[in-house]
Every structure is written in structure tokens, then in C-alpha cells.
Amino acid sequence: MKKYMMLLAACCMASALALPAQAADDTFEAPEPYLFGRPTSDETIYVGTEAPVNRDRSKNAAMIPPVFGSPTSYTLNSGEMLTPNLIPGSNAWAEGMGNSGGVSVMPPTMPGIPSLPGPVGPSGNPGYTEVTQDLYYSGGYLGTLKIPAVGLTVKIYQGTDQAALRKGAGHYTGTSIWEGNVALAAHNRGVANHFGKIHQLDPGDTVKLETKLGTRVYHVESVRKILATDLSVLDASTDNIITLTTCVRNQPDYRWCVVARET
């Protein structure tokens, strides 16, 4: 029996050695050439059937969302422009002073306000005092505005651009600085919210203007909302008045306007 088993094992081994040699089934293919050396910062390109749209995606087109829970908070494309004063062709006053959602937008300098000569006098000519270099203080400001009722003391700078309103109240270029209508603007929120409480003023409250030409005391005559497009409040006046303007929170179509008159 032992010899039989040894013979059977020898036969199996001989049969295995007699099979022809075959190549291995596993094959390895090289990767495509384009998979090597591609930049890691490659920009994704989306291919579509429609023509590409030249859409402005800069901060000029950014929107400030409406206040959470407001009627328009769930309305698509609602809100205010983040930088309305950077939009070419925009109305500087109507577009430049709106702000909401805790973001203050700087109103740009008012262009086109006529310079009307002539002091206040019997002839009834509108009063106008031009801003000249000798009216500036050494700190670069034109004067100081004080409103005790709201605890405000702020320097006045020429223009209503970003640089001026960041430092204090801005004087509308082209309006008077002493005789007639002195028009000023400032923010109503943020770090430089100098006019944030002027809508709380009452008739009779004192407004004091200090310049190199002297000190003038006015008394509040009116506190009202006006349309953002109402530029008549910047007109020259035969009376000595001071006009203060600022935004209305979350109502970009309106402005607070305080008029005080010298009595």
C-alpha cells in the first residue's frame, strides 16, 4: 500500500510538471499623461449651453440684507447696496446716505449746490458765506457743533465724503458756512454716530455753532422725515438757519432733517 501511494504521488507531480507555462493574469496600465503635473490651484471651469453673463460680483454689487424678522427678510434680492456711492451714475444724496443692518454708508460730497453771494440784508438776498482757507483751524476743521440736549460736541469738516464723516460732522460743499443756511450731515449709527439722536430733539432745544467768524446760537424749529431725494433743505436762506441731516434707520428712502433758526 505504501508503494502504491508513493507511485500515485509521483504520477501527480509528473502531470503538473508537464502543463505548459502561462503568463500572469494581473496587468498594470500606466496612468494617462494629463494626470501628472497639473497645477493645484486650477480654477474650475463650468461649461454650459447658455452665453456667459458679464455679471458684476465686486463689492459694488454687494447687498446689505434686511433686518432679521422684517417683512422683507425672506424676499429674494431685497436689501440695500453696501457701497451705493461707488455705483457709477448714482444720485449722491439719494443713494449715498442709506444704511441698515448696522452698517454705516458714507454719503459722498454733494455736487451742484449753487454758491449764492450776498449777506443777509434788507434786500432779501439769500445769505451765503464761502469756505475759504483762512476759516480752517489748525486741526483741519471748520468749527464745532454743540447740542447740549443730546450731549453732542463734534468738530465740523468740509465735505461729506468718507474721510470727513469718519472724523466728525460734514459740511455740505457749496452751502454756506456762516450766513444763511449752514447744512451739515453725519452718521446715525456705528462708531461715528454723531447724529444718532438728533431725531429726539424738541422745538426750542439749543444748537450752537462755533467758527472763526464767531459763535451763533440757534433754536430747533422742526424735526421731520424727508424723502432722500429732497434737496430743497440745502437751499440758501435769507434767515440764519442750520440744517442737520442723517439717515433713518432701516428706511433708506427717508432722512431725518432738523432745522434750527437763530432767534
Side-chain angles (χ1 to χ4, degrees), residues 234-249:
L234 305 181
D235 290 344
S237 171
T238 56
D239 296 328
N240 289 330
I241 63 175
I242 189 166
T243 303
L244 313 177
T245 58
T246 191
C247 307
V248 179
R249 289 194 177 193

Side-chain angles (χ1 to χ4, degrees), residues 21-238:
Q22 296 181 355
D25 293 334
D26 295 331
T27 58
F28 297 91
E29 297 181 358
E32 297 295 332
Y34 67 82
L35 293 180
F36 292 92
R38 300 183 65 181
T40 58
S41 60
D42 191 18
E43 182 179 357
T44 303
I45 300 175
Y46 299 94
V47 179
T49 58
E50 299 179 357
V53 179
N54 186 17
R55 183 175 301 165
D56 185 1
R57 300 185 184 276
S58 68
K59 66 179 180 180
N60 296 7
M63 301 285 289
I64 302 172
V67 176
F68 180 78
S70 64
T72 58
S73 59
Y74 299 102
T75 304
L76 185 64
N77 297 325
S78 63
E80 301 174 50
M81 300 305 299
L82 175 62
T83 54
N85 55 317
L86 299 181
I87 303 173
S90 62
N91 183 294
W93 168 259
E95 299 289 347
M97 289 190 67
N99 64 73
S100 67
V103 179
S104 296
V105 179
M106 306 289 187
T109 301
M110 276 296 304
I113 303 300
S115 299
L116 300 177
V120 176
S123 64
N125 290 331
Y128 178 80
T129 304
E130 183 181 2
V131 174
T132 55
Q133 195 61 38
D134 59 318
L135 295 182
Y136 284 90
Y137 288 89
S138 58
Y141 60 95
L142 290 169
T144 303
L145 179 71
K146 295 182 179 181
I147 308 179
V150 292
L152 175 65
T153 298
V154 62
K155 295 289 192 298
I156 301 169
Y157 295 87
Q158 177 70 328
T160 52
D161 55 9
Q162 296 186 9
L165 295 187
R166 192 162 42 239
K167 294 182 290 186
H171 171 252
Y172 281 101
T173 303
T175 66
S176 178
I177 191 58
W178 184 244
E179 300 291 350
N181 183 12
V182 180
L184 307 176
H187 292 309
N188 73 343
R189 64 176 62 186
V191 177
N193 62 337
H194 303 294
F195 282 5
K197 296 181 179 180
I198 64 170
H199 62 286
Q200 300 175 6
L201 291 172
D202 295 318
D205 284 342
T206 299
V207 177
K208 182 183 291 187
L209 174 66
E210 298 176 354
T211 72
K212 281 192 172 183
L213 295 171
T215 298
R216 181 164 280 157
V217 178
Y218 307 84
H219 292 91
V220 174
E221 185 177 78
S222 65
V223 179
R224 59 195 175 103
K225 284 183 183 180
I226 62 172
L227 289 173
T229 53
D230 184 1
L231 304 182
S232 63
V233 296
L234 305 181
D235 290 344
S237 171
T238 56

